[in-house]
Amino acid sequence: MNFHHIRCLLFDLDDTLYSQNCGAWDMIRKRINSFMIEELKFRPEIVPTLRHRLWTQYGTTLRGLQTEYTVDMDTFLDYVHDIPLEEVLQHNPTLVDLLQNLPQRKVIFTNANADHANRVLDLLGINQFFEDIIDIYAISPHCKPEIEAFEKMLSLIDEDPINCLLIDDSPGNLTAASSLGMATVSVGNRRHDGSLHIESILQLDTVLKG
């Protein structure tokens, strides 16, 4: 696949810019479970199944909780992102070198909020490479993988999808991007038909150089 026409790199955040095995998403998942139990009073035994259904049906657990239970977005995000990320994420010189040598525009496109994104980027030491963070508030009331979320993001960054490459760990997000004409690269444990695959974000330069 030839990526020479790509002008803008769209990076997912969690489980993409860092290893899926580092424990960060496990922390977030536990906080989501805790929110549903402590704040919404769901029985603990039903929470994993309910959370999975909401995530599958709506794209994020938050969007499902908003739709079915009128949950406040600020309250939810503040709660689930209150985790000690510094215990599992550290400055990554190899990632710094990689991003520094990629000439394309670089944008974060995430279903998290910008505060969480900035924490992740700061801990990894890569905040300076991204011109914008398109977060859950910027694409509200939509979220990845909804097509409307992608269309709103493209409008905000003023870019044609044919010139964009999405780097993401979620097959659903990659499918949505592909349907709009974007190039796609899957990262981590899950492969996606139609996308080139890398095990780690640190392999991205080899893909782009082809």
Side-chain angles (χ1 to χ4, degrees):
M1 190 174 292
N2 189 324
F3 292 127
H4 295 304
H5 65 289
I6 297 298
R7 294 197 310 234
C8 184
L9 304 176
L10 302 168
F11 291 84
D12 178 48
L13 185 79
D14 292 307
D15 280 354
T16 295
L17 286 177
Y18 55 80
S19 169
Q20 296 175 3
N21 301 318
C22 77
W25 186 248
D26 290 334
M27 290 181 178
I28 295 172
R29 186 182 298 108
K30 288 177 182 177
R31 289 294 286 175
I32 294 173
N33 287 351
S34 178
F35 182 88
M36 294 175 70
I37 294 166
E38 300 298 328
E39 302 297 319
L40 302 181
K41 308 304 179 184
F42 288 110
R43 300 193 315 277
E45 63 270 20
I46 74 166
V47 164
T49 300
L50 175 59
R51 191 195 70 238
H52 180 73
R53 178 183 69 77
L54 294 174
W55 176 78
T56 302
Q57 184 173 344
Y58 295 98
T60 66
T61 305
L62 168 60
R63 189 65 73 229
L65 290 173
Q66 285 182 295
T67 301
E68 297 191 7
Y69 301 99
T70 322
V71 168
D72 179 72
M73 184 157 68
D74 294 343
T75 301
F76 177 89
L77 291 172
D78 288 346
Y79 188 102
V80 302
H81 290 147
D82 184 17
I83 55 176
L85 282 173
E86 64 280 358
E87 294 181 3
V88 294
L89 297 181
Q90 295 83 35
H91 184 268
N92 189 332
T94 306
L95 183 55
V96 170
D97 289 344
L98 167 71
L99 295 173
Q100 194 166 250
N101 290 307
L102 295 177
Q104 297 90 349
R105 299 175 64 190
K106 302 171 190 67
V107 173
I108 297 293
F109 182 32
T110 178
N111 280 335
N113 62 18
D115 286 344
H116 174 70
N118 277 313
R119 284 185 69 200
V120 170
L121 299 179
D122 285 341
L123 287 167
L124 294 174
I126 58 174
N127 204 313
Q128 68 272 24
F129 299 115
F130 296 93
E131 66 177 64
D132 206 349
I133 297 172
I134 307 300
D135 73 346
I136 192 67
Y137 288 97
I139 56 177
S140 180
H142 305 289
C143 66
K144 295 190 291 182
E146 293 176 301
I147 293 297
E148 294 88 348
F150 284 81
E151 292 173 338
K152 193 164 186 179
M153 175 273 296
L154 290 167
S155 175
L156 288 169
I157 67 171
D158 191 25
E159 193 62 83
D160 192 300
I162 198 67
N163 298 319
C164 294
L165 170 66
L166 178 70
I167 305 105
D168 203 305
D169 69 293
S170 167
N173 296 341
L174 295 162
T175 295
S178 295
S179 75
L180 290 173
M182 292 185 200
T184 54
V185 170
S186 61
V187 183
N189 299 330
R190 294 181 291 176
R191 293 180 178 269
H192 172 253
D193 291 342
S195 297
L196 289 181
H197 182 78
I198 53 178
E199 299 295 332
S200 164
I201 193 66
L202 301 179
Q203 299 170 321
L204 181 61
D205 59 338
T206 62
V207 168
L208 291 176
K209 292 174 183 176

